[in-house]
Amino acid sequence: MHYTISKGILSTRNGMNLYRGCSHGCIYCDSRSKCYRMNHDFEDIEVKENAIELLESALKSKRKKCMIGMGSMTDPYIPLEMKIGHTRKALELILKYGFGVSIITKSSRVLRDIDLLKEINQSTKCVIQMTLTTFDEKLCAEIEPRVSSTRERYETLIKLRDAGIPTLVWLCPILPFINDTVENISGILDYCERAGVYGLINFGMGLTLRDGNREYFYVQLDHLFPGMKRRYIQTFGNRYAIESPNSAGLLSVFHKKCEDGGMVHDNDRLFAFLNAFEDKRQIMWEL
């Protein structure tokens, strides 16, 4: 861990990352890619020391309320958050200034802040997005070694549902020859239906590999699945977008189960939902 002073905190689309780098150890993580210009070891997490002050200044100066996004590059609930507390402080400001929030995470630690999440959702809007990759717990422990287990994430989704907080699931990545099976997709979708997930975001049955994350991914493949790196290179070469040979069949299962389970599975509709700010206090005043 190390500290840095930042010049700004919110992106042009009102997203933010309070940390840079991650300790989850997911073997496929795109955030390792060189294009993001991270000038430190990925596991040596950068803490933006002045992030909370920058956020308060940015929220104060905004003329129009909106959704604030958290977690696109680094999970807001990495273990270090329990010590630093940036995420909770950010949520307190979002609540104070009347904004909405959308969070992407793979951690049950999000439940630490369920009190704030409920308050935000009662006055404006709070959406929790949970990434699910594999239904198989043993495989989960191998390819996502330091995240909450799939079962723990499922149970977290249930608790969020019971608290009245809408949830979305990112179904990704799907690793060819590893978790690209009907059993895996069906198991995850069954969890989602039982947890009352609003919808699922999916960009295809595969993953992306860029300079930086490709090298790390291949080292992990050699370690975890001997011979798999060679199979990937022989099958996909140096492609950026890696698509499962089972993609068409898996997508058919995905869309049918979402339709049958009443879960939204249109990405455009889901992103529109995520970006739509709601002022429930204004609605109450009008009533």
Side-chain angles (χ1 to χ4, degrees), residues 5-255:
I5 299 297
S6 297
K7 294 181 179 179
I9 191 64
L10 287 182
S11 72
T12 56
R13 295 187 177 183
N14 300 307
M16 65 177 173
N17 287 283
L18 301 166
Y19 307 101
R20 293 193 79 203
C22 189
S23 55
H24 283 341
C26 303
I27 70 171
Y28 49 75
C29 182
D30 176 71
S31 294
R32 292 180 181 273
S33 301
K34 291 179 181 178
C35 64
Y36 299 120
R37 299 178 183 178
M38 198 171 295
N39 299 316
H40 55 87
D41 289 340
F42 193 66
E43 286 76 15
D44 177 19
I45 296 166
E46 178 181 291
V47 180
K48 298 178 182 180
E49 187 171 8
N50 59 333
I52 302 306
E53 291 80 8
L54 288 172
L55 178 62
E56 182 157 29
S57 177
L59 296 181
K60 278 182 178 180
S61 65
K62 277 193 172 293
R63 294 183 178 180
K64 188 176 180 180
K65 305 298 184 185
C66 63
M67 296 293 288
I68 304 297
M70 300 172 65
S72 61
M73 287 286 295
T74 297
D75 195 316
Y77 290 99
I78 54 177
L80 187 61
E81 163 61 19
M82 308 310 279
K83 173 184 176 183
I84 303 295
H86 267 7
T87 299
R88 184 167 180 88
K89 292 170 188 173
L91 290 172
E92 289 171 343
L93 289 177
I94 289 167
L95 175 64
K96 176 180 177 180
Y97 290 103
F99 286 78
V101 70
S102 174
I103 298 173
I104 304 175
T105 185
K106 293 180 183 175
S107 177
S108 61
R109 294 184 191 92
V110 67
L111 294 175
R112 178 202 65 181
D113 296 331
I114 198 166
D115 58 330
L116 290 173
L117 301 177
K118 286 171 66 176
E119 282 194 72
I120 293 169
N121 195 54
Q122 286 165 2
S123 60
T124 59
K125 181 179 175 183
C126 171
V127 184
I128 303 301
Q129 304 169 69
M130 189 73 74
T131 301
L132 296 178
T133 301
T134 175
F135 184 69
D136 185 310
E137 295 291 355
K138 180 177 181 296
L139 182 59
C140 175
E142 291 174 334
I143 67 175
E144 304 167 330
R146 291 182 292 280
V147 303
S148 298
S149 71
T150 301
R151 179 76 190 187
E152 288 170 338
R153 281 177 265 175
Y154 160 63
E155 292 170 349
T156 298
L157 288 169
I158 290 176
K159 290 175 181 177
L160 291 167
R161 176 203 66 194
D162 292 347
I165 298 168
T167 58
L168 269 62
V169 162
W170 287 72
L171 180 62
C172 63
I174 302 302
L175 311 181
F177 318 125
I178 296 174
N179 68 337
D180 58 338
T181 65
V182 171
E183 291 77 14
N184 183 51
I185 302 303
S186 296
I188 292 173
L189 291 174
D190 287 344
Y191 267 168
C192 292
E193 183 178 354
R194 292 202 294 270
V197 166
Y198 175 77
L200 289 100
I201 295 171
N202 176 262
F203 286 99
M205 298 298 168
L207 76 159
T208 57
L209 293 177
R210 302 190 239 213
D211 290 347
N213 81 310
R214 178 187 288 107
E215 291 81 358
Y216 183 83
F217 179 65
Y218 279 167
V219 168
Q220 299 305 312
L221 285 188
D222 263 346
H223 173 66
L224 296 169
F225 312 101
M228 189 63 74
K229 172 185 172 181
R230 176 177 295 182
R231 188 176 183 185
Y232 265 66
I233 293 172
Q234 289 175 341
T235 306
F236 306 112
N238 204 36
R239 295 180 204 166
Y240 162 65
I242 306 298
E243 185 178 40
S244 166
N246 303 326
S247 180
L250 295 176
L251 282 171
S252 177
V253 170
F254 169 73
H255 290 299

